């Protein structure tokens, strides 16, 4: 029987004079915009949110700041047909020219036609990796991919920077990553049954501010507080940073050496096997490969080394007696073992996830309430929410006939090495030759590693088009920048899998400047390219919202949810989805009857040893969880780059919440107090962080809660080179990707390996350069730009508006 969700009238049915009547959804929460005189002046958190994120308070002031892209803009040399496709080395180094929309759209359409005619759709790369909008219709990545599919296809990217290794590995050994994350055991079940929560990578609640599609009710921090206060659950924080489990002040802290979690898990597993504490019956019924795992633990494997607690202690820095004691506790208590995403964002990142599953299988608690494993608690708000996986409205993206792709974290390799082979998930492919990059809703200068190498690669394409709201480095290093609206400037539907509400997102303010939504931009381009009818299906935005909502109702019905008609939902402003009738316990049905509910693995069971992966023949990812020691490095500090607390990735770094966290205007970096004092660094000093890849400045924060030899900095500080004209210039602002390695985690997944960075940190003794990250680039007057190219005759690939340029 379907359960009807509860619809709610807008809480602002009798609003204050300046209050907007509707809610809006963001990835970090639901708010009611406060608007005065047409300007956004405040964001009131939804009243139902138990722990609202402060990130929303960055929107007022930032949404219409000078950083906003207000008009279409084209890089100056790109306007000249003589230098249009040979001036990539000037990206990020020269002014832009603001143009009328028709001219800019004609130019984009002409470039798309030119590249397709000369090189085929296999030369078009559809980027847009990013968290552009919680709204499901105006989701930039979906709009871009729908548009490019309508144009004949594009080079796609697979997986994610967050979970590149995990997404490829987990389907081979348990299940797909999304299915697992959406069905993690609910927090309220853990509170009732979990006695020991072993947190590899901690449980950093700063990450739980967000959910893709919109965090509606922040439940992780309150849940941890209840579990800790109740006294039933003990927590063990296995992380180089004590604050990675700050939500539980009394948690036991094991300050592990970065990159050695797999070794610790093997030491724990060795104790379980040698002391007869493992669940042999569970391993026999629910897993394959236990004999191989046992042999490797006992030293009968290929390396001939027994994975004893003493062996693990030498690698991890955790005393052997503490490893033994923890293993025994795990065996006698209902235990949940969790890994954060960060563990697999490293060289050989598949191994800690695989070994975590192996360790928990030995305990035999998978599928039990309060026991088993987690691979994302503390990483997203929705993980452990206890809600179903129904995700609401979805925009159809169509079919991509182009088979060429890259693992998402290998974009610089693609641009620098077209035609070269690469391994991925058991197959060998070749990097396509991308001539045109189309980006909407993402910022490669935030999420990609080794930015100096990325900038070198970024000079190779003939054309780069970006839709942007603000002048990020992504925009400033593009050829054509089209101003896009924010979610507060358009109608949409906010919904996310495993979140408890759907939100009717009504526009709160008019578009800033000449910004247009991505749908309007792509509709105009599709009209120029001859497929507008197929792209729009004859619908405007309002009709699409109704259509997508109504299309979701049968899927909701299948999930036991009876959605009201669209008009009722839109009038109410939001609706609350019912919880599943039964508590969510990960892999519970599989445990109850593995024959009736097999896993989607080749054996139908948990694959502690995978014949499939073994047959791939990868030396860096064999057929079972394997220990790979971190590579030796002359750089003394291991730099960990985590998700920020004051913004979502790089979004709203220019907002007041993020800027309030800066130290002398720069991103704060946390250093172990003893490491800092040996280098003459005091709290509040500006430091230079560097290695062979590059260097950046940051503001020092000293801590005794960080393992010696480790530093921590948040990702997302906008790239701000000291001199854009000089290759390898110092970043003034604190972007850690100046120093992170751009290598794949392994041949299996080619995932991001940012957490393997090693650096040196020294006191900055020179004059402090001004931070200019939030200043827009120079924009020229239109007439001046065309005067610059007046001597060049239009070429066949130049597709300008017939009445443009004006007579000189």
């Amino acid at each position: 029987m379907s359960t009807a969700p509860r619809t709610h009238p807008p809480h602002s049915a009798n609003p204050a004079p300046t209050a907007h009547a509707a809610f809006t959804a963001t990835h970090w929460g639901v708010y009611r915009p406060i608007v005065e005189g047409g300007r956004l002046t405040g964001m009131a958190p939804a009243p139902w949110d138990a722990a609202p994120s402060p990130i929303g308070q960055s929107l007022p002031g930032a949404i219409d700041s000078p950083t906003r892209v207000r008009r279409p803009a084209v890089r100056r040399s790109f306007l000249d047909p003589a230098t249009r496709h040979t001036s990539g080395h000037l990206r990020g180094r020269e002014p832009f020219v603001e143009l009328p929309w028709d001219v800019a759209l004609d130019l984009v359409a002409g470039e798309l036609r030119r590249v397709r005619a000369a090189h085929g759709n296999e030369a078009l790369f559809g980027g847009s990796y990013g968290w552009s909008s919680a709204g499901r219709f105006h989701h930039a990545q979906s709009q871009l991919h729908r548009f490019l599919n309508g144009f004949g296809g594009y080079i796609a990217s697979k997986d994610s920077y967050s979970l590149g290794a995990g997404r490829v590995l987990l389907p081979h050994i348990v299940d797909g990553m999304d299915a697992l994350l959406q069905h993690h055991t609910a927090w309220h079940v853990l509170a009732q049954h979990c006695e020991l929560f072993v947190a590899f990578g901690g449980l950093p609640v700063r990450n739980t501010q967000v959910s893709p599609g919109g965090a509606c009710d922040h439940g992780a921090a309150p849940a941890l507080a209840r579990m800790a206060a109740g006294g039933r659950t003990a927590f063990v924080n296995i992380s180089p940073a004590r604050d990675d489990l700050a939500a539980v002040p009394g948690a036991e802290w094991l300050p592990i050496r970065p990159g050695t979690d797999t070794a610790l898990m093997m030491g724990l597993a060795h104790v379980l096997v040698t002391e007869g504490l493992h669940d042999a019956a569970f391993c026999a019924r629910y897993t394959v490969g236990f004999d191989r795992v046992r042999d490797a633990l006992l030293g009968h494997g290929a390396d001939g080394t027994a994975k004893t607690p003493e062996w693990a202690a030498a690698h991890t820095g955790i005393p052997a007696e503490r490893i033994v004691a923890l293993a025994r506790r795990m065996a006698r208590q209902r235990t949940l073992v969790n890994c954060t995403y960060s563990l697999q964002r490293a060289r050989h990142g598949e191994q800690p996830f695989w070994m975590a599953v192996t360790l928990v299988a030995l305990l035999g608690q998978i599928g039990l309430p309060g026991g088993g494993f987690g691979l994302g608690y503390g990483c997203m708000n929705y993980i452990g929410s206890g809600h179903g996986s129904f995700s609401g409205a979805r925009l159809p993206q169509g079919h991509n006939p182009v088979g060429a792709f890259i693992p998402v974290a290998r974009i610089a390799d693609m641009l620098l090495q077209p035609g070269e082979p690469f391994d991925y998930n058991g197959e060998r492919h070749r990097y396509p030759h991308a001539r045109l990059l189309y980006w909407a809703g993402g910022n490669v200068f935030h999420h990609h590693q080794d930015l100096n190498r990325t900038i070198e690669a970024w000079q190779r394409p003939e054309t780069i088009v970006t839709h942007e709201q603000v002048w990020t480095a992504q925009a400033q290093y593009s050829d054509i920048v089209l101003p896009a609206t924010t979610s507060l400037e358009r109608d949409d539907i906010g919904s996310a899998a495993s979140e408890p509400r759907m939100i009717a997102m009504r526009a709160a303010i008019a578009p800033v400047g000449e910004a247009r939504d991505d749908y309007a931009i792509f509709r105009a381009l599709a009209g120029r390219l001859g497929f507008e009818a197929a792209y729009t299906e004859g619908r405007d935005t309002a009709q699409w919202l109704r259509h997508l909502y109504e299309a979701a109702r049968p899927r909701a019905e299948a999930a036991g949810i009876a959605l009201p008609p669209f008009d009722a939902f839109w009038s109410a402003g939001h609706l609350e989805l019912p919880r599943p009738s039964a508590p969510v316990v990960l892999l519970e049905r599989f445990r109850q009857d593995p024959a009736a509910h097999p896993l989607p693995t080749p054996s139908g069971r948990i694959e502690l040893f995978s014949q499939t992966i073994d047959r791939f023949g990868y030396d860096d990812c064999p057929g079972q969880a394997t220990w790979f020691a971190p590579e030796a490095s002359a750089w003394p500090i291991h730099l960990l780059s985590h998700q920020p607390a004051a913004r979502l990735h790089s979004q709203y770094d220019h907002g007041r919440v993020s800027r309030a966290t800066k130290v002398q205007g720069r991103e704060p970096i946390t250093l172990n107090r003893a490491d800092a004092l040996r280098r003459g660094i005091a709290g509040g000093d500006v430091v230079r962080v560097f290695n062979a890849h590059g260097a950046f400045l940051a503001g020092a924060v000293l801590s005794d809660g960080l393992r010696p030899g480790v530093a921590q900095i948040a990702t997302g500080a906008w790239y701000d080179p000291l001199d854009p004209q000089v290759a390898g210039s110092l970043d003034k602002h604190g972007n850690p990707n100046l120093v992170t390695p751009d290598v794949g985690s392994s041949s299996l997944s080619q995932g991001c390996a940012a957490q393997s960075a090693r650096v040196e940190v020294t006191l900055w003794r020179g004059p402090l350069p001004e931070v200019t990250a939030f200043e827009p680039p120079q924009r020229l007057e239109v007439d001046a730009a065309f005067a610059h190219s007046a001597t060049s005759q239009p070429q066949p690939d130049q597709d300008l508006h017939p009445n443009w340029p004006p007579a000189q």
Side-chain angles (χ1 to χ4, degrees), residues 245-258:
L245 224 173
V248 183
E252 179 183 357
W253 179 35
L254 300 182
I256 192 170
R257 184 174 292 125

Side-chain angles (χ1 to χ4, degrees), residues 106-414:
D106 286 346
L107 187 56
V108 174
E111 286 298 289
L112 288 165
R113 275 198 297 264
R114 178 189 65 81
V115 171
R116 185 175 68 173
H119 308 289
N121 285 81
E122 294 80 4
L124 304 174
F125 180 75
S128 187
Y129 176 85
W131 293 57
S132 61
S133 170
R136 295 297 83 198
F137 175 64
H138 289 296
H139 183 247
Q141 185 182 67
S142 300
Q143 290 285 354
L144 173 62
H145 292 171
R146 177 179 174 85
F147 168 78
L148 291 176
N149 284 334
F151 190 57
Y154 64 100
I155 304 164
S157 59
K158 291 190 176 183
D159 309 321
S160 71
Y161 282 85
S162 297
L163 274 168
R167 285 189 178 279
V168 180
L169 172 71
L170 266 298
H172 290 292
I173 65 171
V174 184
D175 199 350
M177 199 74 234
D178 288 334
L180 291 173
L181 292 176
Q182 291 170 5
H183 295 92
H184 268 41
T185 301
W187 285 114
H188 68 87
V189 175
L190 296 179
Q192 294 173 359
H193 300 281
C194 181
E195 296 173 311
L196 180 62
F197 196 120
V198 180
F200 284 88
L203 286 166
V205 294
R206 61 176 177 266
N207 299 346
T208 65
Q209 295 179 87
V210 303
S211 278
C216 291
D217 187 357
H218 292 91
L224 286 171
R226 288 192 297 270
M227 292 172 71
R232 179 180 181 85
T233 308
F235 290 84
V236 179
N237 174 26
I238 302 174
S239 168
R242 183 167 53 206
D243 284 350
D244 277 347
L245 224 173
V248 183
E252 179 183 357
W253 179 35
L254 300 182
I256 192 170
R257 184 174 292 125
T260 65
D261 301 87
T262 300
L264 177 55
M265 295 177 199
M266 288 181 167
L268 294 167
H270 185 276
V271 175
L272 297 179
V273 170
T274 57
E275 297 190 4
L277 301 176
H278 68 290
D279 190 331
F282 181 91
C283 291
R285 186 181 186 194
Y286 296 97
T287 76
V288 295
F290 168 73
D291 291 347
R292 289 178 178 261
V293 169
R294 180 191 58 205
D295 287 348
L297 293 173
L298 299 180
H300 307 318
D303 62 4
T305 302
K307 309 307 185 294
T308 65
E310 292 74 19
W311 169 88
H315 288 291
T316 64
I318 306 300
E321 58 270 21
R322 296 191 74 176
I323 297 174
V324 173
L326 178 59
R328 292 170 178 168
R329 286 178 66 192
M330 293 168 69
R332 69 174 180 263
Q333 294 183 294
R334 184 62 59 86
T335 300
L336 190 289
V337 175
N338 182 65
C339 292
T340 57
Y341 295 174
S342 59
L343 270 61
Q344 52 86 68
R345 287 200 295 268
R347 292 289 290 134
H348 311 294
E350 297 82 4
Q351 303 312 314
F353 270 28
W354 202 342
M355 192 59 215
V357 173
T358 302
L359 174 62
V360 175
L362 297 182
L363 291 172
Q365 298 187 28
I366 293 173
L368 295 178
F373 66 88
L375 299 174
Y377 290 107
C379 295
M380 297 279 188
N381 181 63
Y382 75 90
I383 298 170
S385 70
H387 287 272
S389 58
F390 172 67
S391 61
R394 301 173 184 170
L395 177 68
Q397 298 182 22
H399 170 68
N400 185 1
V402 173
F405 75 94
I406 62 167
V408 69
R410 304 269 54 83
I411 184 170
D413 287 356
M414 175 188 72

